[in-house]
Amino acid sequence: MRKPRATGRSHRKKASSPEGGEKCVLSSIQAKPSVIDGEEPGPDGGLRGLARHQEKVILQASVSSHHLFRDTAEVTAFRRSLLSWYDREKRDLPWRKRADNEVDLDRRAYAVWVSEVMLQQTQVATVIDYYTRWMQKWPTLQDLACASLEEVNQLWAGLGYYSRGRRLQEGARKVVEELGGYMPRTAETLQQLLPGVGRYTAGAIASIAFGQATGVVDGNVVRVLCRVRAIGADPSSTLVSQQLWSLAQQLVDPARPGDFNQAAMELGATICTPQRPLCSQCPVQTLCWARQRVEREELSVSGSLPHSPDVEECAPNTGQCQLCLPPTEPWDQALGVTNFPRKASRKPRREEYSATCVLEQPGALGGARLLLVQRPSSGLLAGLWEFPSVATELSGQGQRKALLQELQTWAGPLQTTRLQHLGEVVHIFSHIKMTYQVYGLALEGQTPVTTTLPRARWLTREEFHTAAVSTAMKKVFRVYEGQQPGTCKGFKRSQMSVSSSRKKLSPGQQVLDRFFQSHVPTDVPSLNSAAQ
């Protein structure tokens, strides 16, 4: 049997449709709906069939055929052009090599699975090193299943979205303990049986590792399809999401499904980018409605072409097409093809506040030690280690009192007068803007503290830097280090701000500080961005 060709791809964001959502039931002049949807008749036969038919009629009435691929010739041309470009231009990435060279289907699927999970919300350049170290440490599902969560969190530290690593290990254990070590072979069973595997991830594994002809939709594919078919409605809406999945299924090449899916994502990541797309280098530009509209308008402005109707004026006589640009957001000539897709409205991040203290024993046996405590096993940053912290909106003495009570829970009675406020750290999670008030307390001249509490550890500075700690805690520690005599103070001002009460700043320095504090970096990439 011919081994399906495995490929890789670039940084992406998952499609806005919820993982595990309903299969697409759009009716169009494409392939049979039953083939596209992957649906089977249910025990209630007629009733379910009637419900599906009614939904198709509603959707069909809302969508113009302008947004579809109208015939086999268009689909064939799209496949041929995209795959030819991909064969010439695809990037050399470690997960592609591993999947290409792996004969064992389960090991190949595992290699693809790891890369797919790591690449969610994360840049390719960042993932390469993590992926290489992960596969060296745990080359098989069995190896990962035997690892501890502590080891997984430690290797994942700095990659962000830590629940991904935890769910990946949970899935490996289920495959080994409940499925006999064999990965499910189809997108449907992958999504059904593996924790944390949704519609996109299941389709990617099934097409790349097992050669199943199933389409995938991530943020890059959303952008490509919206521009190619001039889909201007909100891509996060149910109707648009269903239509995008339907188009992806229609287009996927049954002879090379893995390569095709990777090519579509690669096109969105490297050519059809969110800003400043390289349309002149696009292999499917002749099939792109957005590009054709730009060209027509350029000719119209130059007088070479009389004014023509707007591309999005494609609604059927029954009413406004639900996939076109909304009347409230008409075509903006200055944006060109980047009119598509329209950005979905985003909820503002909620703001949270925490007081955290770096508690150090400079005279501890074997060298200075830092106290770290483990976070709960669920929720934000589950299972990671951090400096003792309290969630609080209090300020001044109220904040200090709450933090001291927390510190004494772990380390016993302390000399409270030595607790110093050092500054603050602002860290952006996908859905939270967290502000840490950073304190420091050195136990100089005190009897060394020992702790036997199960969720507390005293670590050396070297151990801290290799422990399973979040990027936010590393920022906190840099603030602490910057205030210690004889240590490097060259931490980034854009990430931390030292309390102005510690030193009187000149007016010019105050202006610079305000500028840098207003440009706090985030760890969240975009396509536009997503959640932890």
Side-chain angles (χ1 to χ4, degrees):
M1 182 181 73
R2 178 179 176 269
K3 184 183 84 170
R5 185 171 181 182
T7 56
R9 58 87 180 81
S10 72
H11 144 245
R12 67 263 191 163
K13 176 185 175 183
K14 284 185 182 176
S16 54
S17 62
E19 293 270 13
E22 292 186 4
K23 303 282 192 298
C24 172
V25 293
L26 267 175
S27 174
S28 70
I29 51 179
Q30 53 196 46
K32 293 181 180 179
S34 60
V35 175
I36 292 175
D37 301 341
E39 295 178 350
E40 297 178 0
D44 53 354
L47 291 176
R48 292 183 61 186
L50 177 61
R52 287 196 297 269
H53 175 72
Q54 289 173 337
E55 185 173 0
K56 291 171 186 175
V57 169
I58 293 171
L59 292 174
Q60 189 175 29
S62 303
V63 174
S64 165
S65 62
H66 175 79
H67 302 289
L68 310 175
F69 286 86
R70 304 176 197 180
D71 53 44
T72 304
E74 268 193 324
V75 172
T76 301
F78 189 96
R79 291 172 178 168
R80 182 175 59 249
S81 298
L82 182 60
L83 285 169
S84 177
W85 167 82
Y86 182 69
D87 290 339
R88 296 190 311 270
E89 304 294 339
K90 65 181 178 182
R91 291 171 291 177
D92 185 17
L93 298 171
W95 42 90
R96 293 179 178 167
K97 286 183 179 179
R98 186 175 288 269
D100 272 334
N101 297 329
E102 183 56 67
V103 176
D104 183 273
L105 288 177
D106 294 294
R107 293 184 67 148
R108 185 193 311 162
Y110 168 63
V112 174
W113 187 10
V114 173
S115 69
E116 290 299 329
V117 172
M118 285 189 172
L119 285 162
Q120 294 164 10
Q121 317 301 329
T122 309
Q123 298 280 352
V124 164
T126 301
V127 168
I128 289 174
D129 177 60
Y130 280 89
Y131 181 83
T132 300
R133 289 190 287 116
W134 181 286
M135 297 305 294
Q136 287 173 346
K137 190 174 182 67
W138 302 302
T140 68
L141 283 159
Q142 288 74 15
D143 294 320
L144 179 58
C146 292
S148 67
L149 179 58
E150 174 75 10
E151 290 177 300
V152 171
N153 282 338
Q154 188 171 348
L155 194 149
W156 203 277
L159 194 57
Y161 302 90
Y162 295 90
S163 60
R164 294 180 296 169
R166 184 177 69 252
R167 287 198 297 265
L168 187 54
Q169 189 197 34
E170 291 172 359
R173 285 183 172 171
K174 182 166 185 178
V175 171
V176 171
E177 296 171 4
E178 301 180 26
L179 304 179
Y182 295 103
M183 288 282 289
R185 293 308 200 245
T186 67
E188 293 75 19
T189 53
L190 283 162
Q191 185 175 347
Q192 178 184 3
L193 297 176
L194 299 185
V197 172
R199 187 176 185 180
Y200 162 75
T201 304
I205 297 171
S207 62
I208 297 169
F210 301 127
Q212 181 184 358
T214 183
V216 299
V217 177
D218 76 338
N220 290 314
V221 175
V222 166
R223 189 162 54 254
V224 169
L225 293 179
C226 283
R227 290 174 181 172
V228 167
R229 294 294 93 171
I231 297 175
D234 182 357
S236 66
S237 70
T238 299
L239 185 143
V240 177
S241 176
Q242 288 180 333
Q243 181 64 16
L244 292 171
W245 278 95
S246 179
L247 287 172
Q249 184 62 45
Q250 180 189 13
L251 290 172
V252 65
D253 191 327
R256 299 176 60 188
D259 282 349
F260 180 88
N261 286 335
Q262 300 292 6
M265 291 184 279
E266 184 106 329
L267 182 67
T270 62
I271 300 295
C272 195
T273 52
Q275 305 296 328
R276 296 182 293 278
L278 306 175
C279 293
S280 62
Q281 300 178 32
C282 178
V284 295
Q285 59 181 285
T286 59
L287 297 169
C288 179
W289 288 166
R291 175 64 177 170
Q292 290 183 25
R293 171 161 188 168
V294 170
E295 291 176 344
R296 278 198 299 271
E297 290 202 348
E298 289 174 349
L299 291 173
S300 178
V301 169
S302 67
S304 303
L305 184 72
H307 179 73
S308 58
D310 287 347
V311 169
E312 71 269 17
E313 292 177 355
C314 61
N317 294 331
T318 54
Q320 172 69 31
C321 172
Q322 297 301 302
L323 295 183
C324 288
L325 288 168
T328 55
E329 299 180 75
W331 172 272
D332 183 344
Q333 188 172 351
L335 294 177
V337 300
T338 62
N339 276 280
F340 306 104
R342 284 299 162 112
K343 291 183 179 180
S345 57
R346 294 180 57 186
K347 294 181 180 179
R349 294 184 179 93
R350 71 174 185 268
E351 295 193 16
E352 295 187 4
Y353 304 89
S354 175
T356 186
C357 179
V358 179
L359 181 62
E360 183 174 22
Q361 296 189 74
L365 184 64
R369 301 273 173 167
L370 307 166
L371 177 63
L372 276 86
V373 298
Q374 192 172 33
R375 291 184 60 83
S377 58
S378 61
L380 183 69
L381 305 175
L384 296 187
W385 294 84
E386 66 179 6
F387 298 114
S389 305
V390 290
T392 178
E393 293 189 11
L394 299 173
S395 60
Q397 291 303 314
Q399 186 180 94
R400 291 172 62 89
K401 182 179 179 180
L403 183 57
L404 280 167
Q405 289 177 344
E406 177 70 10
L407 290 171
Q408 291 172 349
T409 300
W410 300 104
L414 299 170
Q415 295 184 14
T416 60
T417 57
R418 293 188 176 181
L419 182 66
Q420 291 185 313
H421 181 247
L422 305 178
E424 72 176 28
V425 165
V426 177
H427 188 80
I428 305 298
F429 297 98
S430 59
H431 57 297
I432 299 172
K433 178 183 178 182
M434 180 72 80
T435 300
Y436 296 92
Q437 296 299 328
V438 181
Y439 289 80
L441 178 57
L443 303 180
E444 301 280 3
Q446 292 186 223
T447 302
V449 179
T450 59
T451 179
T452 56
L453 296 177
R455 292 178 47 243
R457 292 180 181 177
W458 289 95
L459 302 180
T460 66
R461 293 188 178 216
E462 292 73 19
E463 290 170 337
F464 168 79
H465 288 297
T466 59
V469 298
S470 67
T471 301
M473 286 300 106
K474 291 180 180 179
K475 292 180 182 179
V476 166
F477 188 60
R478 287 200 291 273
V479 170
Y480 176 78
E481 283 190 306
Q483 301 302 308
Q484 303 307 301
T487 59
C488 175
K489 300 187 180 182
F491 52 87
K492 295 181 181 178
R493 301 291 303 197
S494 60
Q495 292 177 337
M496 309 66 137
S497 60
V498 177
S499 174
S500 60
S501 63
R502 296 180 57 81
K503 181 179 179 181
K504 183 67 175 178
L505 302 178
S506 67
Q509 186 62 50
Q510 292 177 28
V511 171
L512 287 174
D513 273 9
R514 285 195 297 271
F515 170 79
F516 281 119
Q517 290 173 25
S518 67
H519 289 72
V520 178
T522 77
D523 286 351
V524 183
S526 66
L527 141 75
N528 294 318
S529 214
Q532 169 139 337

